[in-house]
Amino acid sequence: MQLLIHCKRVVFMGDDTWVSLFPKKFHRSLPFPSFNVKDLHTVDNGILQNIYPTMEGDDWDVLIAHFLGVDHCGHRFGPDHPAMAEKLSQMDGVIRSVIKRLKNDTLLVVMGDHGMTDTGDHGGESQKETDAALFLYSSSPLFPAPGSQVEPEVVPQTDLVPTLALLLGVPIPYSSVGQVLLPLFPQNGSRGVPTGLSQAEALWINVKQVSRFLETYSNMAKDIPPDSLSQLRADFSNISSQYLAAVHKGHLPSPELVVSMQNYLTAVRETCRASWARFNPFKMAAGLLILGVACMLCYVLSELSHVVIQQGLLKLPILSGLVVGLVVAAGQLFLQGYLELSWCVGAAALSSEVLFLLRTRGVSPKERWSPSGLLTLALLVLFLRCASLLSDSYVIYEGNVVTFLLFTLSVYVPLRLNWDGLLVPLPPPDTQKPPRLLPTVLPSSVVRRQATILLVWLGVLVGSLYLSLSFHNCREEQGTCQSSPFLSPLSRVKNNQLRNLHYVISVGSLALSGYLLYRWLRHYGNLNCISVTVFSACFLIPLACVCMGLHWAVSATPEDTFRNLSELIGLAQVFLPRATFCLLGFGLLLLWVDPMTVFLKLRTPLNSRGTSLPPPKYRASTGISPQAELHHLIPQLYQRIRHSLEDGATESGETDSRPAVEAYGLGTVYSAPLVLLCGLLGLVLLLLHPEGMALAFLLLLLEAGAMLHIHACSANLSSLHKHSNGFSVPWAPVVSWSLAAAQFFHATGHLPTFPSIQWGAAFVGFPQGHTGTALPASLVTLNTFSSHIIFAVGCPLLLFWPLVCEVRGTRPTCSAGVEESEDAVMEMRLRENPQKFSSGLLELAARYLFVNGAQVFASVCAAAILRRHLMVWKVFAPKLMFEASGFIVGSVFVILGVAMVMRVDISVGGLFKKLLPQNSR
């Protein structure tokens, strides 16, 4: 802008970001698309076609050429790839060619805007990322003297601004607080420098500019301490009087005055930095209070979910919060004339939270809040997890920390069961007790089978946990740590055999994941019916997996292998991932439209001798009928059921004449759509990751299944002593589920640092880039928080899985004091107790939000307490941003998972209404 104000003709070519930042400001511009990091040559070749003719012309004063090939090559291949050597050699030749064409009155400035890590990335605060070279060259001698060299030194980036401004002959930008680099200016005003300024003159111009900015800023912001401001004003007045006196006498400024000016510039910069890095303790305390009360609210809500549903305790707090927020907004507009949204939202949230806690204070028995109920191992593990967030070392090694905590909590489950004597068969009960007080005694074979299943799945969990450590990325602070080779795209793998091996492992993991999903649905009879959901499971998912495998193969193909097929390969890189997105998106839509996966089979109510069969019951069958029977049965099934139910009674009586209905998949009517939803989302998220992460996602699937089965076995064995029809998920599986989300955040190559963000996800299916920012931002967000999304959506499975794995006879029924064995009706038990079903679902969601919210609260405390810590901007602040973002994303998808359960419940209700006779609805 200074150049434009002084009528300098600025010509630009290269990265089109400049044109977006300074629209219609250039005398002439030649922008080229820059967002596609896989494109190494378009921008550079465009510059090379125009830079030399432009240099030979005379229609410019400043020529800016922003090359991007080296930057993109680093992002795509890393600094050690042969392509990087080619780009650096090309840039070396460009600099040599420019120097040969340089005129005597022209200054050449070559600079980098950032450095590069060992993986080719940047954006962080490590030395390799923040150090960048600056090279200045002029055909006419620069000071000091021809043939001498200026020693390289590390300087702040802010110091380049005033230096380049004076060398280009324009005023220093108004808001700069940098200090000119004195080695580029002579001590006595030699005419060899383009501007002809001496060190003292350059410093005096710099001091006046900084003083003018300081005065204007202090009058507007009022955030610089008065004592510091008075001292800086006195220093400037003293420097000004000494410099003007020396100039008036015709003397050169003394070296002491030069040092005084340098000290003044340094003091101004440090004062501004200290002022701009200040914190507002009152706002921080208010935010901590709101977050803390919100966590308390979630805990209370999880403990009193049945009371909240019965008495509707949430309506009044929500309404009062809205009223308080509106009152605060009106008060701000009336008193201040402007609106601070954060205060309005904070006041609304705090008032509603406090009112809810006050309303629940007298509706809960005191024993619920006893210390024994609060001091459980699961909550102790959660406390340790939160405490670890206050240590920079534990945050740096967070992947190992959460793995250890999850392992500890998982091993605790069988140890606790063994301590309670539930892993061994119980002795026969005392028959002298009343029947209702008798504990259920399962056969010893059933107890041993449950214990064996528990230990087998524990082994699967432990194996998955420690295999997943192989997929971790490395932070700069971890020293000699080596990132997993699976994090690199196959196109970066130079060894052909290793590339092929990685591809086979990735495709095999993808196929096995799809097969396990299909096998589970088939085992529980959810694939027997003809519905759009079954169509998604049987056809859309396999087809999407094939497209993903082909996409990985095309992406892994080296560019110089099939040059004749480059256009076809480019088309495949666009079509295959987009086709996969469309297939999976269509599957998600079909799943929401019709989530039912139940097949109803009509059985004849009379046997061959004409005697009546027992009254009909719904059964959670897991087998499948012969194929021939299905062919003729399915088309007529619904009509036969409807007509037989509506016709009423027959000669044998109304009850016995009603047809028996056998329902395939009814026992997993809630969990099957949720499992399928997790599978579809998992494939979408896997597509946004490097190919090698397919094995990590397979381990995620195994780990989630192991935790669900451990929880189910524990619930089945615990039910020997606790006969409760409630549907309450203990704290241990909920905390484990949350820790697993954090653990696989690291096991998919992510870290709570900005350089670790996998920006390549934005170009999956869009290799040519985007016209906007919404879509690429969404793709990167889905990639970054994929583990949070999967575990959040699958959270209701913790409620369903003990019912899915229910052992027949563990839930007895008593009739007239006589205990009867009951079939394992699995998830249909939820329909028998809709009130407890709703309270159990609310309790589970509240507990999951509390566990995740407590970790966010701990991150906020860490950033607030350690705000002056050396590592706050490198460790604690990024961790807070990632933790808060993950909580927001996870909360949204928890709501999505609960919404899917409610959608299935509505469909189940509609199914039962269709099956009931008209006169009994």
Side-chain angles (χ1 to χ4, degrees):
M1 298 303 297
Q2 292 282 22
L3 293 168
L4 294 178
I5 292 173
H6 290 80
C7 301
K8 301 290 186 180
R9 297 166 297 177
V10 182
V11 175
F12 164 76
M13 55 185 68
D15 184 352
D16 59 358
T17 307
W18 287 76
V19 180
S20 301
L21 292 174
F22 304 102
K24 300 180 180 179
K25 301 296 183 182
F26 296 106
H27 178 69
R28 185 158 54 90
S29 62
L30 295 168
F32 300 95
S34 61
F35 196 62
N36 184 11
V37 296
K38 294 185 178 181
D39 185 357
L40 309 183
H41 308 295
T42 298
V43 177
D44 293 358
N45 292 341
I47 295 175
L48 293 177
Q49 293 174 3
N50 296 276
I51 186 171
Y52 303 126
T54 303
M55 288 183 62
E56 295 173 357
D58 58 356
D59 63 337
W60 61 275
D61 296 301
V62 176
L63 171 60
I64 302 172
H66 190 161
F67 291 86
L68 275 179
V70 173
D71 178 81
H72 285 186
C73 186
H75 286 298
R76 183 175 183 184
F77 298 113
D80 300 324
H81 196 273
M84 178 63 76
E86 296 178 2
K87 294 305 298 184
L88 291 176
S89 298
Q90 183 188 29
M91 290 300 101
D92 186 65
V94 170
I95 295 174
R96 293 178 184 273
S97 299
V98 169
I99 289 176
K100 291 179 180 179
R101 294 173 171 82
L102 209 61
K103 298 180 180 179
N104 291 334
D105 61 347
T106 306
L107 173 67
L108 171 65
V109 181
V110 182
M111 71 178 82
D113 55 341
H114 53 75
M116 183 181 298
T117 64
D118 293 335
T119 60
D121 300 314
H122 62 86
E125 58 290 311
S126 67
Q127 183 176 1
K128 291 185 178 181
E129 295 167 277
T130 56
D131 280 1
L134 172 65
F135 171 72
L136 291 90
Y137 180 87
S138 174
S139 298
S140 58
L142 283 172
F143 183 83
S148 64
Q149 295 182 351
V150 178
E151 291 295 328
E153 58 178 324
V154 178
V155 297
Q157 288 184 341
T158 53
D159 291 350
L160 299 180
V161 177
T163 304
L164 292 178
L166 295 182
L167 291 177
L168 293 173
V170 297
I172 301 173
Y174 162 75
S175 59
S176 170
V177 291
Q179 183 178 153
V180 293
L181 301 177
L182 292 187
L184 298 178
F185 297 88
Q187 296 181 0
N188 56 0
S190 170
R191 297 298 98 186
V193 180
T195 58
L197 296 174
S198 65
Q199 290 183 354
E201 291 171 330
L203 278 174
W204 172 242
I205 296 174
N206 198 179
V207 166
K208 288 195 300 181
Q209 168 263 325
V210 169
S211 175
R212 185 171 63 253
F213 165 76
L214 183 64
E215 289 296 327
T216 305
Y217 178 81
S218 61
N219 292 331
M220 295 175 58
K222 305 293 184 182
D223 60 352
I224 297 180
D227 295 340
S228 300
L229 185 60
S230 300
Q231 181 62 43
L232 292 174
R233 287 172 174 169
D235 292 343
F236 174 75
S237 178
N238 185 34
I239 292 172
S240 176
S241 60
Q242 292 186 39
Y243 182 84
L244 294 177
V247 172
H248 180 71
K249 296 178 181 179
H251 299 161
L252 291 175
S254 63
E256 291 77 10
L257 180 57
V258 172
V259 173
S260 298
M261 289 190 284
Q262 287 181 297
N263 293 337
Y264 171 79
L265 293 171
T266 302
V268 171
R269 179 163 57 190
E270 295 304 321
T271 301
C272 290
R273 283 179 175 175
S275 176
W276 295 333
R278 289 196 309 171
F279 301 93
N280 191 318
F282 179 71
K283 288 186 177 181
M284 294 169 64
L288 287 171
L289 176 63
I290 295 173
L291 282 174
V293 176
C295 291
M296 187 184 304
L297 183 148
C298 288
Y299 183 85
V300 173
L301 184 61
S302 69
E303 297 296 321
L304 303 177
S305 58
H306 62 289
V307 178
V308 171
I309 292 179
Q310 290 175 358
Q311 302 184 12
L313 299 180
L314 287 175
K315 296 179 181 179
L316 183 59
I318 293 176
L319 293 177
S320 65
L322 293 176
V323 172
V324 171
L326 293 175
V327 171
V328 172
Q332 286 182 342
L333 291 174
F334 179 76
L335 297 175
Q336 301 177 354
Y338 62 90
L339 185 67
E340 287 188 77
L341 186 61
S342 60
W343 283 112
C344 301
V345 175
L350 184 60
S351 60
S352 61
E353 293 165 1
V354 172
L355 180 59
F356 174 80
L357 294 177
L358 291 176
R359 296 194 68 191
T360 58
R361 184 177 56 179
V363 299
S364 175
K366 295 182 179 180
E367 57 270 14
R368 180 177 288 272
W369 312 108
S370 62
S372 60
L374 297 176
L375 298 178
T376 62
L377 180 67
L379 294 181
L380 176 61
V381 169
L382 176 61
F383 174 78
L384 294 176
R385 160 68 174 156
C386 295
S388 69
L389 298 176
L390 280 79
S391 167
D392 56 340
S393 299
Y394 281 108
V395 174
I396 291 171
Y397 290 94
E398 183 183 12
N400 300 81
V401 172
V402 293
T403 301
F404 172 77
L405 293 177
L406 181 55
F407 169 78
T408 303
L409 193 55
S410 302
V411 172
Y412 161 78
V413 174
L415 293 179
R416 178 61 185 270
L417 292 174
N418 185 66
W419 179 267
D420 294 338
L422 299 180
L423 287 183
V424 293
L426 293 176
D430 185 3
T431 57
Q432 300 299 322
K433 294 182 178 181
R436 291 182 181 273
L437 300 179
L438 290 177
T440 302
V441 179
L442 291 179
S444 60
S445 60
V446 175
V447 176
R448 292 192 186 96
R449 183 173 180 271
Q450 290 294 305
T452 302
I453 293 175
L454 175 66
L455 296 178
V456 168
W457 280 110
L458 179 63
V460 173
L461 175 61
V462 173
S464 301
L465 280 176
Y466 285 96
L467 282 176
S468 64
L469 291 175
S470 304
F471 297 91
H472 281 196
N473 204 347
C474 294
R475 297 178 61 121
E476 175 205 0
E477 300 88 348
Q478 292 177 331
T480 59
C481 173
Q482 295 292 329
S483 299
S484 170
F486 290 96
L487 293 174
S488 299
L490 293 179
S491 58
R492 287 193 181 186
V493 180
K494 303 174 185 178
N495 189 298
N496 291 334
Q497 294 182 348
L498 186 60
R499 186 191 306 121
N500 294 336
L501 177 61
H502 282 195
Y503 178 76
V504 171
I505 293 176
S506 301
V507 173
S509 302
L510 175 64
L512 183 56
S513 300
Y515 173 75
L516 291 176
L517 176 63
Y518 171 83
R519 187 68 183 85
W520 187 90
L521 294 172
R522 184 177 181 273
H523 172 73
Y524 286 103
N526 296 108
L527 299 182
N528 291 328
C529 65
I530 298 178
S531 67
V532 293
T533 302
V534 175
F535 173 75
S536 300
C538 295
F539 297 100
L540 293 184
I541 288 182
L543 187 57
C545 290
V546 171
C547 291
M548 287 178 63
L550 295 175
H551 166 62
W552 291 345
V554 171
S555 300
T557 303
E559 293 182 353
D560 55 351
T561 303
F562 301 101
R563 295 188 180 274
N564 296 332
L565 301 177
S566 58
E567 294 184 3
L568 181 61
I569 292 176
L571 183 63
Q573 289 179 340
V574 175
F575 172 76
L576 289 174
R578 291 188 183 182
T580 307
F581 282 134
C582 292
L583 290 172
L584 297 175
F586 185 55
L588 291 171
L589 178 62
L590 294 180
L591 181 61
W592 180 261
V593 172
D594 183 15
M596 292 295 293
T597 57
V598 177
F599 168 55
L600 300 177
K601 177 184 176 182
L602 180 66
R603 294 188 292 107
T604 305
L606 299 177
N607 60 17
S608 58
R609 297 182 181 181
T611 58
S612 298
L613 290 172
K617 289 184 179 181
Y618 50 82
R619 293 181 55 194
S621 302
T622 60
I624 60 174
S625 300
Q627 194 66 27
E629 182 183 4
L630 290 178
H631 280 318
H632 76 271
L633 180 62
I634 293 175
Q636 307 173 20
L637 179 63
Y638 177 74
Q639 292 298 329
R640 291 180 60 188
I641 294 176
R642 186 168 65 93
H643 289 310
S644 61
L645 289 176
E646 291 179 353
D647 287 342
T650 62
E651 298 178 356
S652 300
E654 182 177 357
T655 303
D656 292 339
S657 64
R658 197 174 295 172
V661 178
E662 194 171 40
Y664 292 84
L666 196 60
T668 52
V669 66
Y670 292 100
S671 56
L674 207 58
V675 169
L676 188 56
L677 175 62
C678 292
L680 292 169
L681 284 176
L683 291 177
V684 172
L685 299 173
L686 174 57
L687 183 59
L688 299 175
H689 283 77
E691 302 88 339
M693 289 297 100
L695 182 55
F697 272 75
L698 175 61
L699 293 175
L700 183 151
L701 176 62
L702 293 176
E703 181 176 321
M707 286 191 296
L708 290 173
H709 280 85
I710 291 174
H711 167 48
C713 292
S714 174
N716 286 333
L717 293 172
S718 299
S719 64
L720 294 173
H721 292 298
K722 300 177 181 179
H723 303 318
S724 174
N725 289 328
F727 306 106
S728 177
V729 181
W731 281 104
V734 178
V735 175
S736 298
W737 202 254
S738 176
L739 290 176
Q743 196 262 343
F744 260 95
F745 172 79
H746 294 269
T748 47
H750 297 99
L751 293 170
T753 60
F754 296 108
S756 67
I757 296 177
Q758 300 177 7
W759 300 106
F763 302 99
V764 176
F766 304 91
Q768 304 303 324
H770 302 266
T771 56
T773 58
L775 180 58
S778 301
L779 294 177
V780 173
T781 301
L782 291 175
N783 166 274
T784 304
F785 302 106
S786 55
S787 63
H788 298 77
I789 292 172
I790 294 177
F791 282 96
V793 170
C795 184
L797 292 175
L798 294 172
L799 176 64
F800 301 141
W801 219 259
L803 301 175
V804 172
C805 302
E806 180 182 353
V807 179
R808 191 173 297 183
T810 58
R811 297 176 182 266
T813 59
C814 293
S815 177
V818 180
E819 189 173 297
E820 298 178 355
S821 178
E822 185 185 16
D823 287 340
V825 297
M826 300 165 70
E827 291 178 359
M828 278 300 96
R829 200 176 299 280
L830 298 170
R831 295 291 303 181
E832 300 173 353
N833 303 278
Q835 192 81 11
K836 294 181 179 180
F837 176 26
S838 300
S839 63
L841 191 61
L842 176 60
E843 176 189 270
L844 175 60
R847 287 187 172 183
Y848 190 74
L849 291 178
F850 168 77
V851 173
N852 291 333
Q855 297 175 64
V856 176
F857 180 72
S859 295
V860 174
C861 291
I865 297 172
L866 304 173
R867 60 186 180 274
R868 298 295 183 186
H869 193 278
L870 178 65
M871 306 293 284
V872 63
W873 299 116
K874 194 169 188 178
V875 176
F876 297 110
K879 174 59 183 172
L880 169 59
M881 297 179 68
F882 277 84
E883 194 72 43
S885 301
F887 174 78
I888 294 173
V889 174
S891 301
V892 171
F893 280 90
V894 165
I895 296 174
L896 176 61
V898 174
M900 175 56 70
V901 174
M902 298 172 64
R903 177 72 182 89
V904 176
D905 191 59
I906 294 173
S907 299
V908 173
L911 175 65
F912 285 172
K913 287 182 180 179
K914 292 179 181 179
L915 293 179
L916 287 176
Q918 186 69 30
N919 56 3
S920 64
R921 291 185 182 179

